Amino acid sequence: MTDRSENELMLRIREGEVHLLSTLFERYQVPLFNFFLRLTQDRALSEDFVQDVFMRVLKYRHTYRGDGTFKGWIFNLARNVCMDHFRKNHREIRGIDEQVTAQVPDDSDRMDWIEREQSAEMVRAALAKLSHEYREVLILSRYHDMKYEDIAIMLDCSVAAVKVRVHRAVKALRKYYLALEQEQKTG
Amino acid sequence: MISERIEALLPDFWEGRLPEREREEVLAWMAANPAAAEEVRALEAVWQGLSAWADERPSPQLETRFNAMLSAYERGLKAQKTTTSPSFWILLKQVWGYKPAWNVGWQLGFATACLVMGLGLGKGFWGRDEVTTHQIAQLQQQVDVLNQKMTISMLEQNSAAERLAGIDRLRMVAKPTDETLQALVHTLAYDPNVNVRLAAADALMPYLKKDANLQTAFAASFKKQDSPVVQSYLIDILAQDRGKDSIRLLEEVREQTAEPMVREQIDTCLNEIK
């Protein structure tokens, strides 16, 4: 689905064809879920957040103007859902949710899976240590292929500032990686 | 030392989407700064390593919940356009078409069945002795008490399906106690699930006319609603009530709300009442 067709769908939803939201849900439930999962590392909370985002799409559909991308708009709603929650609950990542780890395969791919899972575990642990500001910009740019222009609008800063922030987030992440590796060696 | 200019180019450089001229600029800078270039390569490894956390899928319940929410919203929109407000039960039964986990329901249902059978057998219900009207009334009362305990207990469950099933159970109760009605009012005001709040509103509707305190509590719960669907439904119920408190509350809400659709609906209802 192109940016344009998503935009057209949302404009029709704004005009009252709310059943069309199912199409956008199909398209965005997984990206949004993963956005929240990487931010919170909590599956149940991430699902609640996705539901909340779509409720807000309905609630604020009248405010959709269609002058940016739909993706930028919905991720902005997602960001607000997350911020509202943390503001109310005064906390960030609860800790790595055991459920985040996928099921262990019982076939010959097991060793590959373990290796991949160890790498993924390192990513989760290092991301969890990043500040919310860095984690968010890294997730949006690395996992969701968001245009820097969209991220800049979302974060209310210049495109260059977003790129610099991404670089600094990677730098901070490397520091945590190295610390975790050190912990593993000594522990 | 990496300059801000180069910092801003690196994410696209790692992704391989930097325009040729800028790519050459980064490569030239790396050639001139071997120590910094080493750091850039190490950071690139971190950037690429992020792909180790692959996308995961949410549970199927997410889609079920979404469909429930969308149906309820569509129903709310339709209700706004009509003066009648048909029961949300039909909707919710469609919405929650799957069989819920009746953990508490089974336990208390079993207790109810035991009570009926016990009283029946004790009074010779299935025997030759006739059962008096008084005995049947007593039996009904006991069953009502159990059903209400079941409702209150199910309203405290984590699963929205169970909470809905608990409210559904109230339909079997001839005369709910104040405690049960208060539990419903609390659910209407604070339950996190829109469908459960709608069901609670629907279940309270028959008792509103008979109880002024309940009317006040019901009206007060309006201000706690953030969902336009629930607001819309409550407006319908308050409009049907036509009580002075309800009209005053509708007027208050109309002044306070920023939702044009809510204002419009209240205007329509107030015009009809007047």
Side-chain angles (χ1 to χ4, degrees), chain A residues 7-171:
Chain A
N7 194 37
E8 282 165 5
L9 266 183
M10 190 58 217
L11 288 170
R12 286 171 66 187
I13 291 167
R14 186 186 73 179
E15 297 311 314
E17 293 182 70
V18 292
H19 64 280
L20 295 174
L21 189 62
S22 298
T23 311
L24 292 174
F25 176 80
E26 280 306 312
R27 171 76 182 78
Y28 278 96
Q29 63 159 323
V30 174
L32 288 173
F33 173 71
N34 282 283
F35 170 66
F36 290 129
L37 188 61
R38 288 178 180 122
L39 272 180
T40 67
Q41 308 208 0
D42 184 327
R43 290 188 76 89
L45 187 62
S46 300
E47 289 189 3
D48 284 349
F49 282 175
V50 175
Q51 174 87 348
D52 202 354
V53 169
F54 283 97
M55 282 182 81
R56 288 188 191 202
V57 169
L58 289 173
K59 188 172 180 181
Y60 298 115
R61 66 196 167 95
H62 298 288
T63 68
Y64 187 75
R65 296 196 307 270
D67 44 8
T69 62
F70 172 75
K71 187 177 181 176
W73 188 72
I74 199 168
F75 268 93
N76 201 28
L77 287 182
R79 189 170 175 258
N80 290 336
V81 164
C82 212
M83 280 181 4
D84 289 351
H85 175 83
F86 290 140
R87 204 174 292 135
K88 275 182 199 163
N89 293 279
H90 305 290
R91 69 170 184 87
E92 284 204 10
I93 290 183
R94 184 183 66 181
I96 295 172
D97 188 338
E98 283 177 11
Q99 283 181 305
V100 167
T101 310
Q103 290 295 305
V104 184
D106 49 7
D107 53 18
S108 56
D109 294 336
R110 195 184 171 100
M111 285 312 292
D112 281 351
W113 180 86
I114 290 172
E115 211 167 284
R116 273 201 314 274
E117 195 45 44
Q118 278 173 344
S119 306
E121 193 54 45
M122 282 283 280
V123 173
R124 286 183 201 118
L127 272 177
K129 286 182 183 293
L130 275 186
S131 68
H132 183 82
E133 187 191 30
Y134 279 170
R135 193 163 60 237
E136 184 181 59
V137 79
L138 204 53
I139 290 168
L140 288 170
S141 59
R142 180 67 182 89
Y143 292 105
H144 296 283
D145 203 23
M146 291 279 289
K147 289 177 185 158
Y148 290 118
E149 289 76 10
D150 282 340
I151 301 177
I153 293 168
M154 214 182 272
L155 304 183
D156 196 21
C157 62
S158 69
V159 173
V162 172
K163 290 179 178 179
V164 169
R165 199 180 291 181
V166 169
H167 173 258
R168 290 181 186 174
V170 177
K171 212 169 166 179

Side-chain angles (χ1 to χ4, degrees), chain B residues 36-63:
Chain B
E38 202 172 313
E39 189 190 343
V40 167
R41 284 191 204 98
L43 294 178
E44 183 177 4
V46 171
W47 177 261
Q48 302 300 349
L50 285 169
S51 63
W53 189 355
D55 271 1
E56 299 182 32
R57 283 205 71 82
S59 72
Q61 280 79 25
L62 177 61
E63 189 159 2

Side-chain angles (χ1 to χ4, degrees), chain B residues 160-182:
Chain B
E162 287 212 23
R163 298 200 297 278
L164 278 173
I167 297 171
D168 198 17
R169 189 149 287 274
L170 260 194
R171 296 198 160 263
M172 292 185 259
V173 176
K175 195 178 172 212
T177 61
D178 285 349
E179 186 195 1
T180 309
L181 292 174
Q182 282 311 314

Side-chain angles (χ1 to χ4, degrees), chain B residues 178-233:
Chain B
D178 285 349
E179 186 195 1
T180 309
L181 292 174
Q182 282 311 314
L184 275 180
V185 170
H186 187 269
T187 300
L188 172 64
Y190 298 108
D191 196 284
N193 186 293
V194 168
N195 303 311
V196 177
R197 296 207 298 275
L198 288 171
D202 204 40
L204 282 166
M205 195 159 51
Y207 309 105
L208 283 177
K209 279 221 177 290
K210 302 164 196 163
D211 188 336
N213 289 336
L214 192 62
Q215 276 172 26
T216 311
F218 183 90
S221 77
F222 194 105
K223 290 177 182 170
K224 297 188 174 70
Q225 302 299 335
D226 54 3
S227 158
V229 181
V230 184
Q231 286 176 350
S232 164
Y233 192 54

